[in-house]
Amino acid sequence: MIPPQFDYHAPGSLEEALALLGELDDAKVMSGGQSLLPMLKLRLASPANIVDISRIPGLDSITETASFLRIGALVTETALEESEVVAERYPILLDTARVIADPLVRNRATICGNVAHGDPANDHPATMMALRAQMVATGPDGERVIGVDDFFHGLFMTALEPGEILTEIRIPTPGSAGGGAGGNGLRSAGEQSGGAYIKLERKVGDYAVAGAAVQLTLDDSGKVARAGVGLTNLGMAPIRATVAEEVLTGARLVARGGFRGAIDKMRDAITRAPDADEIINAAAQAAADATDPVADRRGSVEYKRNMARVLTARATARALTRAHTPAGG
Amino acid sequence: MAKHHITVTVNGEAHSREVDSRLLLVHLIRDELALTGTHIGCDTTHCGACTVLVDGVPTKSCTVLAVQADGADIGTVEGLAGADGMSALQEGFMQEHGLQCGFCTPGMLMTGTALLAANANPSEAEIREAISGNLCRCTGYVNIVKAVEYAAAKMAGADADAPAAEEAN
Amino acid sequence: MSDAKPRTSAKICGMGHSMKRKEDPRFLQGKGNYIDDITLPGMLWLDIVRSPIAYGKIVNIDASKALEIDGVLAVLTGKDLEAYNLHWMPTLMSDTQMVLPTDTVMYQSQEVAGVIATSRYAAADGVAAVEVEYEPMKPVIDPFQALEDDAPVLRTDKEGQEDNRIWHWEAGDKEATDKIFAEADVVVREKMHVPRIHVASIETCGCVADFNPVEGHLTVYMTTQAPHAIRTVLALVAGHVGLSEEKIRVVSPDIGGGFGGKVPVYPGYVVAIAASVVLGKPVKWIEDRMENLQADSFARDYHMDAEVAADASGKIRALRIKTLADHGYSDAQAAPSKFPAGLFSICTGSYNMENAYAEVDAVYTNKPPGGVAYRCSFRVTEAVHCLERVVDTLAHKVGKDPATLREENFIPKEAFPYHSPLGWEYDSGDYQAAMDKAKEMIGYDDLRREQAEKRARGELMGIGVCSFTEVLGAGPSKDFDILGIKMFDSAEVRVHPTGKAIARFGTKSQGQGHETTYAQIIAEELGLPAAHVQVEEGDTDTAPYGLGTYASRSTPTAGAAGAMAARKIRDKAAKIAAHLLEVSEEDLEWEPGTFSVKGAPDKSVSIQDCAFAAYTNLPEGMEPGMEATNYYDPPNLTFPFGTYICVVDIDRGTGEVSVRRFVAVDDCGNIINPMIVQGQIHGGLTQGLGPALFEEIPYDEDGNNLAGSFMDYLVPTAVETPAWETGHTVTPSPHHPLGAKGVGESATVGAPPAIANAVVDALAHLGVTHMEIPIRPDRVWEILAAKGVAK
């Protein structure tokens, strides 16, 4: 399998890259190339020009500020997997990175590439929805910030304009206002948040049959202050399950007093509120209802809807457990 | 279509070439540099037969352009053995019968080499995860796992004279 | 039953030693020589234009844009080949297959035109630029529909072909079998499909065809498991254009996995040869993975309807199987001529029964032609899956543990040689011993207790058992031939003056380690260190004629030939030893490597001494040299067997099946290299896991291949594959010179039913008696949902 002819450009700076995108006809941005190059080899894409941004300095860092975890355009999945701050405070991101493709692909594949590709079968979009991430698009007129809800427009379609590069993803920090999923709550002391991504795949290297990302923030009484639920490969675009979020928001999933007690216990030993399972199941069903999958070799519509339900319930339970571990996340 | 002048160091030797934009790294290595130990087994970045080290990082060379590797230090299977013989991992594959047809083997070796550089004492689960981007159709993976364990033990200075896989009886 | 100690020392390294492989150092250092590693001066590249549709007329092929591309030299079509009468070729089953079509395409991804260019890249661009106009027709995809009266006849090219039937085959006494079924206490029945799968060796197929126009000589380097037979086929196909057999050399270099997929002749090979002949330059063709999965021979695709008749206690009385075989548009399987359904009649397996009847109808559909014996001795996989599944259904029906029911029906070891109702003479077996060992290794009774406890808690755990009998080593010349050529195999052994040897064989290793095991056979028989025996295969100019490596036939045939040739040499060496020691031959004793005088052990000569003398100091009248050839025609097939036990856990939420443990106890007779045998079993098990849980090549109603790349053809990785546990018993073959039986594919045959039986066992209490493979999570979940137990 041989790619078609194209011209390759490797700008040394963001400015140069943006200038090239402005000048060249039919140019495609490439970072890790792990989605684009297979498409070229299969001749499913044939851009006249490829602008490789991987030599641009300064785009490969993961940094946490007071408000955001900032992931640069060239951060690879492997870098995310190896990041201490991610492991400690954003385990949902680690969950997600670990199940993408295979370890060799992850050595080159980037988080921003995974998101910018606009493929509903990719895993990060659901997680970004659960986390209420912001996309920083840099174009000839400078930066603009696009909320995740406005970013995905359909199959391989995003809010990125031609000439723009997704230079950074910003994830609200768990402790910040709006952090840990949920855009409008004011930060209050003693909040705990946790998230999880669970993917059902046929084997390593496969796209998801279904995937569910759930991020929960609990207030100091153990009530869900904010919830984020995103779903993978269950429609023409990544899905944010807003009704499921509403079911979870305000719910008390942990028994009173269970919060303190749970810290020292095993992860699975949190004392759930008596009706927690019922609430989680209702949220999971709401997530399933938000899907619009197609039947294929991965299963029927009914199966995929049910997997949305099962995985959302499991991810919620895991998120809840993580919200109760001292490290938070 | 413009040509690009690139220089890559492969197994310690520098090579300069004029390449097309679209030339894949695996074809540079195999067809231009005649290092045919690196193989091609699929079109979709699944099999890992083409795995090489790019600046120490195991990479599927069928999914990298040669021009992207300009300036990189590339390691292929031909560079694993030193003056004092095969590497501990190569030896492990031989002792533990970690290969049969040999076609996936160079990719497995490169992935395994990088794994051991990062993790001197990987568990079975870690080894299986690390090689999950390399398909083998012959061995059933059991002896590949053992080969990596053999190399880890040998590199740790442990007694590496353990007998090869004897059947449970 | 226990392993004999090796007869030879570690230095000699004959049978029973886990000798490290002689081929490994080159593979480990990137110095293997696979087909795509071969580059000849002036070499051109072939790439192939393929049909996007499954069935239709070719209206026009316009190559003009392709020919404008820099580096594209020629575009070959069926019309071009027709001028030389090379547009059709015979299959190994005496059917016919297009090389390139002149008017009609019969399956998706069929070869339509060949683009010849000066580079890989230009050839690919050329393929993209060839414009083909088709007039699509409604394809016939479902094999049952293919047999309906109103189905269009696909093979209008075949004179007298009035429907889509290819052949009907049957074995056994139908009337007597039907009579048993009519009077039996219990009859169970399962319909099942063993779906179309692909060998998916990690190396695809390819060749370098090198025609020398001055000499009129053709050398073809190609990925073939059977180079000699291929040379003969090429001579039959192209003899009329001057390529007679002495002018053809086929060289099979290192092969990156074969598994039966590299036995047939594919159109790409022939187009490359034609291109080389036309252009007078070497032409390389290397298919990509999608071409490999979409156009090369598939395997399996048997739709079976199986019934077992038994008495009330579960004693099996008879078996009846009706099968529909989907061969695609041509019967391009590679089976012995007289066995269109392969060795399917092994379907009575390990069980003693009064009678059996099996029939197979083969049909044409608009799918790629096939099917090959994928790591399988010609349809044994289908037969064993069918029997082992329906035997479990019987156990369920009569309320017996599936292991117990098997034990009660085993052919007892005293009954060997055993004559099966369908005509085989099983050479040897001790099925209970393998069962006992497997149960002990896995802790069968404890697992059954655990299962009962889990079932009470609502957890789904299953234990699957399979006790298979294989039939290998095709085969005795009275029955077995391919295109009329008897299925013997051969060895030629030459000992050099310094006591080192070269041994050449008619087979071709694709990872099995022949360079090592064959050397060990020679070492066993001659007492030369195996390290001193160089093994060569795969070059028709130098190796003796043989039928090749597939169907686990190498050890039973060529391995035996190696032993017999070595024995001829040893006989000659004995005469030389007698001459050197100045005694009569009768006074000599043989220990591996040494002749000594009876009663005077210090008076001895080594085999190396004898070799030197064969060139320097011969007894009077003896022909010089030390060389022997044997063409081995086996007196019978060999019948390895084993019991596999598998434990699975099922996720009630997702339907995912995880194989927790898998114990495989094999009996392949005497073992040449235990390390290699174990490796063969590991690999075979993994190639059984694939079709059991993951792999399938399905088609939609338009004939589109739905698993045409590794994105959807799900080859298991190290993560999905369990840590296989192996054991063995030893029941030697009474007729093989080394007592060996062959082992390459037992595990591929035995694993799928063991896994399927485990999944069904986990669901048996819900009334489930069968699941089709591959057992995908969604299929399991649909059942869980229907039974109301999905979480």
Side-chain angles (χ1 to χ4, degrees):
Chain A
M1 291 263 112
I2 308 294
Q5 299 267 13
F6 55 84
D7 259 341
Y8 170 88
H9 311 268
S13 69
L14 195 52
E15 294 70 30
E16 198 187 327
L18 294 169
L20 278 167
L21 289 176
E23 288 162 18
L24 297 167
D25 285 335
D26 189 19
K28 185 89 187 154
V29 176
M30 178 168 83
S31 53
Q34 300 301 286
S35 293
L36 181 59
L37 287 175
M39 289 180 81
L40 291 173
K41 287 166 68 181
L42 299 175
R43 301 204 178 205
L44 297 174
S46 51
N49 291 284
I50 285 180
V51 177
D52 177 4
I53 61 172
S54 65
R55 291 179 191 270
I56 299 174
L59 294 180
D60 62 349
S61 64
I62 304 173
T63 49
E64 195 183 37
T65 64
S67 308
F68 295 105
L69 179 76
R70 301 165 60 145
I71 300 170
L74 298 178
V75 173
T76 63
E77 303 291 351
T78 301
L80 199 68
E81 287 176 78
E82 291 172 352
S83 158
E84 278 179 29
V85 65
V86 168
E88 280 175 21
R89 288 168 55 76
Y90 304 87
I92 186 174
L93 279 176
L94 186 56
D95 287 350
T96 313
R98 274 185 177 157
V99 293
I100 289 169
D102 64 54
L104 303 179
V105 171
R106 298 203 291 270
N107 283 336
R108 293 190 74 84
T110 63
I111 294 84
C112 286
N114 189 277
V115 168
H117 196 46
D119 186 345
N122 279 355
D123 297 284
H124 280 301
T127 296
M128 296 308 164
M129 289 188 144
L131 289 169
R132 301 289 189 275
Q134 300 173 0
M135 311 300 153
V136 180
T138 306
D141 304 324
E143 284 185 1
R144 66 187 179 111
V145 176
I146 308 164
V148 69
D149 289 345
D150 300 321
F151 190 77
F152 299 104
H153 289 184
L155 193 62
F156 300 116
M157 291 190 298
T158 69
L160 288 175
E161 297 287 341
E164 282 186 328
I165 297 170
L166 177 59
T167 46
E168 186 175 283
I169 293 174
R170 293 178 183 165
I171 293 164
T173 54
S176 68
N184 43 20
L186 289 173
R187 178 185 177 187
S188 61
E191 276 189 356
Q192 294 284 342
S193 63
Y197 180 69
I198 300 182
K199 173 186 188 177
L200 176 63
E201 60 183 0
R202 297 176 298 178
K203 55 164 264 194
V204 169
D206 191 21
Y207 288 111
V209 175
V214 176
Q215 180 76 16
L216 299 177
T217 300
L218 309 186
D219 65 21
D220 55 1
S221 76
K223 262 198 205 167
V224 176
R226 294 181 293 283
V229 180
L231 301 168
T232 301
N233 214 9
L234 291 161
M236 295 297 277
I239 292 166
R240 180 178 160 202
T242 48
V243 178
E245 292 174 357
E246 285 163 19
V247 172
L248 292 169
T249 304
R252 178 183 302 286
L253 299 176
V254 182
R256 274 182 202 286
F259 173 53
R260 290 274 164 221
I263 290 176
D264 300 325
K265 291 187 185 169
M266 295 291 289
R267 283 181 144 208
D268 295 337
I270 308 162
T271 316
R272 298 247 187 106
D275 58 349
D277 285 350
E278 212 173 296
I279 295 163
I280 291 173
N281 288 341
Q285 186 57 52
D289 292 343
T291 64
D292 185 20
V294 291
D296 59 16
R297 298 299 300 168
R298 292 179 176 83
S300 64
V301 168
E302 190 198 1
Y303 177 64
K304 291 183 178 184
R305 282 230 169 90
N306 274 281
M307 292 310 100
R309 178 180 58 78
V310 169
L311 300 179
T312 301
R314 289 182 182 181
T316 307
R318 192 173 294 170
L320 188 62
T321 304
R322 285 179 176 165
H324 278 80
T325 59
Chain B
M1 299 287 157
K3 291 258 188 187
H4 304 268
H5 181 82
I6 64 167
T7 300
V8 292
T9 302
V10 182
N11 304 328
E13 194 180 329
H15 301 268
S16 291
R17 289 287 188 284
E18 301 290 321
V19 300
D20 279 339
S21 294
R22 62 170 171 166
L23 181 70
L24 299 171
L25 177 59
V26 69
H27 289 140
L28 174 78
I29 292 169
R30 286 182 52 82
D31 295 348
E32 308 265 332
L33 305 181
L35 294 168
T36 55
T38 302
H39 297 148
I40 301 171
C42 75
D43 324 318
T44 51
T45 326
H46 281 83
C47 81
C50 62
T51 305
V52 301
L53 301 183
V54 177
D55 295 326
V57 177
T59 301
K60 293 183 175 181
S61 64
C62 75
T63 312
V64 181
L65 301 172
V67 63
Q68 284 179 283
D70 185 20
D73 192 353
I74 290 166
T76 72
V77 66
E78 287 90 348
L80 289 181
D84 52 348
M86 292 199 288
S87 74
L89 187 60
Q90 288 171 310
E91 188 185 308
F93 270 74
M94 180 141 178
Q95 291 298 321
E96 299 290 355
H97 190 31
L99 70 158
Q100 290 182 25
C101 82
F103 199 77
C104 77
T105 309
M108 287 285 181
L109 286 167
M110 301 322 288
T111 300
T113 298
L115 170 68
L116 290 170
N119 180 353
N121 187 24
S123 67
E124 176 178 345
E126 286 170 336
I127 297 167
R128 285 180 177 271
E129 162 69 16
I131 61 170
S132 63
N134 297 83
L135 296 178
C136 172
R137 201 61 164 160
C138 295
T139 65
Y141 303 106
V142 176
N143 290 344
I144 295 177
V145 172
K146 285 186 184 162
V148 176
E149 288 170 344
Y150 176 103
K154 181 167 187 196
M155 289 157 74
D159 174 21
D161 292 328
E166 287 297 338
E167 249 176 276
N169 267 302
Chain C
M1 198 52 44
S2 65
D3 299 22
K5 262 180 75 85
R7 212 159 58 96
T8 56
S9 65
K11 180 165 182 283
I12 293 173
C13 225
M15 280 177 69
H17 289 283
S18 283
M19 182 184 186
K20 303 309 171 215
R21 297 201 325 167
K22 298 171 74 153
E23 40 275 88
D24 285 359
R26 72 173 185 274
F27 294 148
L28 286 166
Q29 295 176 80
K31 300 297 181 193
N33 185 36
Y34 301 92
I35 192 69
D36 199 11
D37 303 343
I38 294 170
T39 299
L40 301 180
M43 190 176 78
L44 304 175
W45 286 83
L46 165 67
D47 203 346
I48 291 177
V49 179
R50 291 177 184 272
S51 171
I53 61 169
Y55 190 31
K57 295 278 178 212
I58 297 173
V59 178
N60 187 39
I61 300 177
D62 180 357
S64 57
K65 284 184 185 150
L67 291 166
E68 284 168 17
I69 292 170
D70 207 18
V72 173
L73 302 180
V75 176
L76 284 179
T77 66
K79 300 272 189 210
D80 298 322
L81 296 185
E82 191 178 18
Y84 302 92
N85 197 27
L86 284 174
H87 56 312
W88 284 86
M89 63 180 179
T91 72
L92 294 175
M93 297 311 289
S94 301
D95 201 341
T96 53
Q97 179 181 355
M98 291 178 223
V99 177
L100 292 176
T102 51
D103 49 41
T104 309
V105 290
M106 300 296 287
Y107 58 96
Q108 190 187 48
S109 294
Q110 183 179 343
E111 299 77 0
V112 171
V115 174
I116 319 296
T118 52
S119 75
R120 239 185 251 268
Y121 282 61
D125 289 346
V127 165
V130 172
E131 292 173 349
V132 185
E133 192 185 333
Y134 300 94
E135 185 183 301
M137 297 191 284
K138 178 72 186 156
V140 178
I141 301 303
D142 182 306
F144 292 95
Q145 282 178 9
L147 287 182
E148 285 171 9
D149 291 341
D150 59 348
V153 179
L154 297 178
R155 292 299 301 272
T156 51
D157 58 286
K158 292 182 79 170
E159 231 169 276
Q161 182 81 36
E162 287 168 359
D163 56 23
N164 292 318
R165 283 173 202 281
I166 311 176
W167 43 257
H168 172 83
W169 166 93
E170 59 184 44
D173 186 335
K174 183 172 194 308
E175 206 174 314
T177 303
D178 288 349
K179 187 162 174 293
I180 296 171
F181 271 87
E183 66 186 33
D185 298 336
V186 179
V187 172
V188 291
R189 178 179 183 184
E190 294 293 353
K191 290 185 181 182
M192 65 191 83
H193 181 211
V194 173
R196 192 173 267 245
I197 54 173
H198 200 282
V199 302
S201 53
I202 304 299
E203 180 197 47
T204 59
C205 294
C207 68
V208 181
D210 182 17
F211 180 70
N212 179 331
V214 176
E215 308 279 347
H217 187 280
L218 173 73
T219 302
V220 190
Y221 304 88
M222 72 188 277
T223 46
T224 176
Q225 301 173 222
H228 303 275
I230 294 297
R231 186 189 65 193
T232 302
V233 170
L234 290 177
L236 293 173
V237 173
H240 65 280
V241 292
L243 281 172
S244 52
E245 198 162 2
E246 86 285 6
K247 290 184 177 165
I248 303 172
R249 176 185 175 207
V250 175
V251 180
S252 185
D254 287 326
I255 301 284
F259 313 117
K262 289 171 180 169
V263 176
V265 176
Y266 296 117
Y269 296 132
V270 180
V271 177
I273 291 166
S276 181
V277 170
V278 170
L279 297 168
K281 289 194 167 181
V283 175
K284 180 187 271 193
W285 168 64
I286 304 292
E287 66 182 2
D288 63 40
R289 174 60 56 194
M290 292 171 71
E291 296 177 289
N292 175 259
L293 289 173
Q294 293 177 18
D296 286 4
S297 285
F298 67 91
R300 324 288 190 241
D301 219 350
Y302 263 33
H303 297 264
M304 297 173 286
D305 184 347
E307 296 169 283
V308 167
D311 69 17
S313 71
K315 178 75 194 73
I316 298 171
R317 298 190 58 199
L319 173 75
R320 195 161 60 186
I321 306 176
K322 187 173 172 52
T323 301
L324 187 62
D326 183 347
H327 277 275
Y329 109 94
S330 173
D331 182 2
Q333 62 179 330
S337 305
K338 296 193 192 80
F339 297 83
L343 310 187
F344 189 75
S345 53
I346 193 65
C347 59
T348 59
S350 306
Y351 312 111
N352 199 7
M353 61 185 78
E354 295 162 42
N355 227 320
Y357 174 74
E359 58 182 323
V360 181
D361 284 286
V363 300
Y364 291 124
T365 58
N366 286 113
K367 295 177 201 159
V372 294
Y374 168 16
R375 205 164 185 165
C376 161
S377 193
F378 315 116
R379 305 297 182 184
V380 178
T381 313
E382 291 90 330
V384 168
H385 191 76
C386 184
L387 176 68
E388 288 297 311
R389 276 274 47 257
V390 76
V391 162
D392 254 34
T393 304
L394 177 64
H396 188 61
K397 175 97 171 184
V398 300
K400 284 205 165 156
D401 181 277
T404 308
L405 183 112
R406 283 175 169 78
E407 292 171 11
E408 289 173 2
N409 282 288
F410 277 156
I411 299 160
K413 72 173 173 184
E414 308 75 46
F416 291 90
Y418 169 80
H419 292 268
S420 81
L422 296 182
W424 300 109
E425 184 188 304
Y426 291 14
D427 57 350
S428 62
D430 184 351
Y431 299 154
Q432 187 63 48
M435 172 67 88
D436 289 344
K437 185 155 193 176
K439 282 166 76 174
E440 184 201 323
M441 280 176 66
I442 206 156
Y444 190 77
D445 296 338
D446 289 344
L447 286 169
R448 285 288 174 205
R449 274 190 289 277
E450 182 192 343
Q451 182 187 32
E453 288 163 20
K454 288 200 161 153
R455 201 168 269 182
R457 292 201 299 268
E459 293 173 42
L460 299 176
M461 162 190 170
I463 305 156
V465 183
C466 164
S467 295
F468 65 89
T469 290
E470 258 265 60
V471 48
L472 306 180
S477 63
K478 66 180 168 19
D479 294 324
F480 290 89
D481 68 85
I482 285 181
L483 293 175
I485 300 166
K486 303 296 186 185
M487 292 184 72
F488 57 82
D489 223 294
S490 60
E492 188 182 281
V493 182
R494 183 186 309 156
V495 185
H496 309 309
T498 56
K500 313 295 190 288
I502 184 162
R504 295 186 169 115
F505 294 81
T507 47
K508 176 63 201 175
S509 186
Q510 314 122 43
Q512 294 92 335
H514 288 178
E515 289 170 45
T516 309
T517 47
Y518 284 162
Q520 288 182 269
I521 289 172
I522 307 300
E524 177 77 11
E525 296 296 333
L526 283 184
L528 292 174
H532 294 170
V533 182
Q534 184 191 348
V535 170
E536 278 186 12
E537 301 176 292
D539 185 337
T540 57
D541 270 9
T542 55
Y545 201 101
L547 271 284
T549 293
Y550 43 86
S552 289
R553 65 187 299 279
S554 296
T555 292
T557 61
M564 300 305 274
R567 286 176 192 179
K568 285 188 197 174
I569 289 175
R570 196 172 72 204
D571 288 346
K572 180 170 186 176
K575 291 184 171 57
I576 295 172
H579 162 72
L580 295 175
L581 291 167
E582 297 177 328
V583 294
S584 78
E585 229 184 301
E586 293 70 43
D587 293 331
L588 291 175
E589 275 183 327
W590 168 254
E591 275 288 307
T594 309
F595 291 100
S596 58
V597 178
K598 283 178 189 163
D602 56 327
K603 270 192 79 179
S604 68
V605 290
S606 68
I607 187 75
Q608 288 84 355
D609 296 332
C610 296
F612 192 67
Y615 296 87
T616 59
N617 175 17
L618 285 159
E620 200 166 316
M622 183 182 275
E623 187 182 344
M626 204 174 215
E627 184 170 334
T629 301
N630 180 267
Y631 282 73
Y632 188 79
D633 180 5
N636 189 8
L637 296 148
T638 60
F639 296 80
F641 58 90
T643 287
Y644 294 173
I645 305 181
C646 169
V647 185
V648 301
D649 298 296
I650 295 177
D651 184 326
R652 277 177 55 193
T654 62
E656 288 172 288
V657 172
S658 75
V659 178
R660 190 203 310 172
R661 286 188 67 196
F662 194 111
V663 163
V665 174
D666 276 276
D667 191 321
C668 60
N670 289 335
I671 290 173
I672 298 163
N673 182 320
M675 177 189 83
I676 287 177
V677 165
Q678 192 196 35
Q680 288 289 305
I681 293 165
H682 286 163
L685 290 169
T686 310
Q687 287 187 327
L689 172 76
L693 296 182
F694 304 102
E695 297 175 27
E696 179 184 12
I697 296 197
Y699 288 83
D700 68 13
E701 59 185 18
D702 296 323
N704 294 306
N705 183 322
L706 300 179
S709 78
F710 275 167
M711 278 192 277
D712 292 298
Y713 194 75
L714 305 175
V715 174
T717 75
V719 168
E720 292 80 35
T721 306
W724 307 111
E725 301 167 62
T726 59
H728 65 265
T729 58
V730 176
T731 310
S733 169
H735 63 78
H736 186 277
L738 302 168
K741 287 189 171 185
V743 73
E745 50 211 20
S746 291
T748 324
V749 168
I755 295 168
N757 286 349
V759 176
V760 173
D761 184 64
L763 305 172
H765 61 296
L766 304 171
V768 175
T769 64
H770 179 65
M771 282 209 67
E772 292 284 38
I773 57 170
I775 300 174
R776 307 190 313 247
D778 60 310
R779 283 183 172 164
V780 176
W781 186 87
E782 306 284 353
I783 289 172
L784 298 179
K787 301 288 180 187
V789 297
K791 263 193 174 166

